[in-house]
Amino acid sequence: MERVKLKIKASFWLFIVVAVVFKQGYFAAMYSFAVLLHETAHYFVASKLFYHCKEIQLGIFGAVLYGDFQDLTPSDRIRIALAGPIANLILCLACLSLWWMIPDSYYYTENFYFANLSMACVNMLPCYPLDGGRVLTGLLEKKLDKKAVAITKKITVALSLCLFGVFIFSLFNKSNLFSLGLFSVCLFTGVFANGSECYVKSAFASNRARFLKKGMEKKTLVFNENNLLSDVAKRMQGNFLYCLEVVDDKMEVICRYSVAQLEQIVIDTPLNTPLKELRKY
């Protein structure tokens, strides 16, 4: 798995300073840790699906996984998006288990539990570019293709305006839900942000020259014609050169792909493509 860089923005340190001033430093630390684990889960699943990202940026409003700008298949979009909230929920269950075994640990992990719970719930809202919005986009893409993102953005705009309306109403009944108002503004502005900032197919040649100086091992992958390209991609791990042989049920070779051909196919072809259809691309 290729390493991802961590970039800490100046706004994050401002967040920490403000938290310490208001005696919320411990909560800020637990929240930041939960955010990093959330983004790491996205990165881990993306890598397993043969995608990678350039860096995780940690800022005042959380963390974002960045990379080159390429499209995902609908299934991959859903899997990667769900990884973050699922990781948060697993951490919540871990905290509950710890409380059951060691009740006194509640006082030290309460903030961590609620940070993970709130992240999981908020991120699963069907709003773009939150994880729930990405899941909704992936589901819609299977039937509506390119219109899916536009529909998800319209839902996000409608929901953000409704939440902002609740915030305005709270000003007149003295509830003063400022956090809800800020959240609705962030949702609205997120609609116009570039939504393809992460989950990018690996660039095979990025470190190739360095490894070639020491020599590289070549491997041949053999798959049945009914397998998917994603099955091949998952096996292309480590610093090796891979070529491919596609065989039928009698183990007769149908097609052979060189290293360069296979790498180009994996980059340019949807990973849910059956191997027997590769010749169409």
Side-chain angles (χ1 to χ4, degrees):
M1 185 182 299
E2 201 169 341
R3 292 184 180 181
V4 63
K5 297 179 181 179
L6 174 62
K7 181 179 180 180
I8 302 178
K9 302 174 70 174
S11 60
F12 173 76
W13 298 117
L14 176 62
F15 164 68
I16 294 297
V17 170
V18 172
V20 171
V21 169
F22 286 94
K23 299 181 180 180
Q24 296 294 323
Y26 185 69
F27 173 78
M30 292 295 98
Y31 173 78
S32 300
F33 187 41
V35 166
L36 282 175
L37 292 175
H38 178 100
E39 294 302 322
T40 300
H42 285 315
Y43 172 70
F44 179 79
V45 174
S47 297
K48 290 297 182 181
L49 293 173
F50 209 62
Y51 294 84
H52 80 91
C53 299
K54 290 182 177 180
E55 65 182 13
I56 295 175
Q57 288 191 10
L58 188 59
I60 190 171
F61 293 114
V64 181
L65 195 59
Y66 284 94
D68 299 328
F69 307 108
Q70 296 183 19
D71 293 330
L72 288 163
T73 63
S75 297
D76 286 352
R77 187 187 302 278
I78 294 171
R79 292 173 186 173
I80 297 171
L82 287 175
I86 288 175
N88 291 132
L89 291 176
I90 290 174
L91 291 169
C92 286
L93 290 175
C95 288
L96 292 174
S97 300
L98 185 62
W99 297 347
W100 181 75
M101 293 184 293
I102 310 175
D104 289 343
S105 64
Y106 172 83
Y107 301 102
Y108 304 101
T109 57
E110 177 187 9
N111 288 331
F112 186 63
Y113 170 82
F114 284 107
N116 279 284
L117 183 61
S118 61
M119 283 194 62
C121 294
V122 170
N123 272 282
M124 283 312 297
L125 290 174
C127 299
Y128 192 90
L130 296 178
D131 295 326
R134 294 183 186 276
V135 172
L136 177 60
T137 299
L139 293 173
L140 293 175
E141 275 181 324
K142 295 181 178 181
K143 292 185 177 181
L144 303 177
D145 197 22
K146 295 181 180 180
K147 296 180 180 179
V149 174
I151 293 174
T152 307
K153 286 185 175 182
K154 290 178 181 178
I155 293 174
T156 304
V157 170
L159 183 57
S160 63
L161 291 177
C162 289
L163 293 177
F164 191 76
V166 173
F167 160 65
I168 296 297
F169 179 76
S170 72
L171 297 179
F172 293 95
N173 64 7
K174 298 181 180 181
S175 299
N176 298 330
L177 300 175
F178 290 106
S179 58
L180 182 63
L182 178 61
F183 178 66
S184 64
V185 172
C186 290
L187 276 183
F188 186 83
T189 56
V191 171
F192 305 100
N194 192 334
S196 58
E197 70 276 3
C198 59
Y199 318 142
V200 184
K201 293 183 179 179
S202 300
F204 290 97
S206 57
N207 297 314
R208 181 66 54 77
R210 179 163 60 90
F211 290 110
L212 280 175
K213 291 180 180 179
K214 300 179 181 179
M216 296 183 69
E217 184 177 346
K218 183 178 179 181
K219 294 186 176 182
T220 299
L221 299 175
V222 181
F223 278 90
N224 185 273
E225 60 181 338
N226 296 316
N227 280 95
L228 301 179
L229 184 57
S230 59
D231 298 324
V232 178
K234 290 174 185 178
R235 291 293 304 273
M236 298 174 69
Q237 301 291 330
N239 300 311
F240 302 99
L241 299 173
Y242 291 94
C243 53
L244 172 67
E245 289 186 356
V246 181
V247 300
D248 58 20
D249 294 333
K250 297 180 181 180
M251 292 301 294
E252 295 288 337
V253 178
I254 301 173
C255 293
R256 289 187 175 90
Y257 299 94
S258 67
V259 173
Q261 289 174 328
L262 178 58
E263 292 183 355
Q264 196 61 46
I265 286 172
V266 171
I267 291 174
D268 294 338
T269 309
L271 294 180
N272 60 350
T273 303
L275 297 183
K276 59 185 176 184
E277 297 182 8
L278 287 182
R279 284 173 288 183
K280 297 180 181 179
Y281 291 88

